[in-house]
Structures are given as C-alpha cells and as structure tokens.
Amino acid sequence: MNPKIVAEIRTRLTELENRANISIPLAIESGSRAWGFPSPDSDYDCRFIFVRPLEQTFTLFPVRDVIEEPLTPVFDINGWDLGKALRLMHSGNAVIVEWLKSVFSYQVNEAFRVAALELADEVCSRQLIGKHYYHLARTQLQRLNFLKGEVSLKKTLYILRPLTALMWLSEHPGRAIAPMNFRELQREVAFPDLVSEKVDALLERKARSSEMGTEKVDPVLSEFMLSKYESFESWSSAGRDSDGHRAEIDIFWRHWSSELCPE
C-alpha cells in the first residue's frame, strides 16, 4: 500500500463526505490487494458504506443508493448506502461481509464495524453465502471457457478464491463467514500438498507480474479447480435456512442511520 495513495484516498473520502453531505462509517480496500494477491500495477479498490441525512434516508422518494467516483488507472472508489448493504447481507451476498473483514482500512467507525460484524454472525445464511461463492466461481469459469487456453493469473485466482471459500464453509460447518484474505483461507483449508505448492507458486508469479499477465493454467490446478467446482454443485440451488432475521436487520438499520446521519 503506497502511503501517498492511501493519503490521497482518505482526502478524497473527506471531500466526498462534504460534497455529497454523507457520512462514511466504513471505507476499506477490496479487490486483489485485500484478497492477498496484488500485482505491482494493481489499482486501488476503495469501497465504502455511507449514510445520508435522515430526511433523505426515510423518504418515499429515495435517490440512488450507490455512489461512484470517476474511475482512473489508480483509483476505483465507490460505495453503497447502508440500507443497500444490509439488504444484500440478508440475501446472502458475501461482499459486504468481506468489506467488514478487510484488513486495509481508510476510515472506520470501529463501533459500527464491530456491531455490523456481530449482526453478520447472527443473520448470515451459510446456504446463501455458499451459493454466492459457487455462482462467482461458475461465472469466472464460464468466462474463461473452463480454463482452456491462456488465462490471466488474476482470473485464475478469481476462480480459486471462491472455490477455496466453499472448501472453508464445508470444513467449518458451524460458521458462515469465511476469511476475506486468500492466504488466511489457504491456511484454514485442507489443500493437497501438491496443490498447495502450485498455489504458492502462482501467488509468487502474480506478485511479480503485471495485472494482465497470462499463462496456461497448471494442469494440477486446473484439474483441482474443476473437480472442486463439480463437487460443490449442491450449493448452486441452496436456499435460505432461516428468514427470521429481518427485524434484527431493520433495528440495526434504523439505529445506525440515526446514529451516523450527517448534521
């Protein structure tokens, strides 16, 4: 993480809060840097949650619930309204939980993050989180024609990461929130020794290569990923194990919308 770029992102977030009249209780790094496999030329994927004034939050005519700053070769900064983030959490989208667990923070209201993680532990559905990761892996595999031909190192890891998250869910049956960082995931799942060696080598090459570096996928990794994908097919149609958490999510939304609203 380049200190000058981190400082610039923090400055831009402060300017955005003032310009849009919002508060940002959570702004983190997502993408390959936070997942643990950046390239030397990776951009900075800043993601944030924001809260608008009460009269713009509790209204029959809400404005767009996403804010996107102009994209540049270095900066990719955008965020979700708190209500949108919580609805996606309820529906099984793992992205918001990953944001909450990111180890790279630009600005954080720690009380909010702790409370949001406690809520996620209570309301996140293992079945829906698993379904999210399965469909993420399937989308990437289909885009790459099931690993035929030259594939970017980045895209290979974009397949491997959700499959490893599914391994983690399968090996931790009492939990729903997998680690965000790939290295942490790797330590907590049972990779075969040869596969683990191939993964380590892939990560080392990714760290030295450009963001668009490509290669033929190692046959060991290709066979492993495709076999895991097939073995996880049951996640594709998983349903919610319980729908009894709307009240808790609504209470959280009302409390923090009021607590964090800009003056």
Side-chain angles (χ1 to χ4, degrees), residues 31-38 104 157 180-183 203 206:
S32 58
R33 292 181 183 276
W35 293 332
F37 44 79
F104 296 116
L157 286 163
M180 179 187 191
N181 183 271
F182 183 79
R183 283 294 195 184
L203 290 169
K206 175 68 163 60

Side-chain angles (χ1 to χ4, degrees), residues 124-153:
C124 282
S125 161
R126 273 178 52 81
Q127 284 79 0
L128 293 181
I129 293 289
K131 185 176 182 179
H132 168 92
Y133 283 122
Y134 178 83
H135 284 278
L136 193 59
R138 183 173 71 179
T139 297
Q140 295 295 336
L141 278 165
Q142 289 175 340
R143 284 177 180 170
L144 299 178
N145 196 18
F146 287 80
L147 301 174
K148 295 179 180 177
E150 290 273 318
V151 174
S152 75
L153 306 179

Side-chain angles (χ1 to χ4, degrees), residues 30-162:
S30 185
S32 58
R33 292 181 183 276
W35 293 332
F37 44 79
S39 294
D41 58 347
S42 292
D43 65 357
Y44 285 75
D45 297 302
C46 173
R47 300 292 180 264
F48 60 89
I49 295 173
F50 66 88
V51 175
R52 288 192 168 101
L54 290 180
E55 63 271 17
Q56 295 179 25
T57 299
F58 299 95
T59 174
L60 292 176
F61 307 100
V63 296
R64 188 166 182 247
D65 55 8
V66 175
I67 293 177
E68 296 167 318
E69 292 290 270
L71 186 65
T72 78
V74 176
F75 301 106
D76 182 356
I77 303 174
N78 61 71
W80 292 342
D81 173 82
L82 176 60
K84 177 183 179 71
L86 292 173
R87 286 190 295 271
L88 288 171
M89 179 192 291
H90 181 257
S91 69
N93 188 312
V95 170
I96 178 59
V97 181
E98 292 185 354
W99 292 4
L100 290 167
K101 293 177 71 69
S102 176
V103 296
F104 296 116
S105 302
Y106 296 109
Q107 67 180 56
V108 177
N109 179 315
E110 199 57 42
F112 168 79
R113 172 146 68 175
V114 169
L117 279 170
E118 290 175 350
L119 179 71
D121 278 329
E122 181 180 357
V123 309
C124 282
S125 161
R126 273 178 52 81
Q127 284 79 0
L128 293 181
I129 293 289
K131 185 176 182 179
H132 168 92
Y133 283 122
Y134 178 83
H135 284 278
L136 193 59
R138 183 173 71 179
T139 297
Q140 295 295 336
L141 278 165
Q142 289 175 340
R143 284 177 180 170
L144 299 178
N145 196 18
F146 287 80
L147 301 174
K148 295 179 180 177
E150 290 273 318
V151 174
S152 75
L153 306 179
K154 174 180 178 179
K155 295 300 184 183
T156 301
L157 286 163
Y158 278 14
I159 298 167
L160 192 57
R161 191 182 75 91

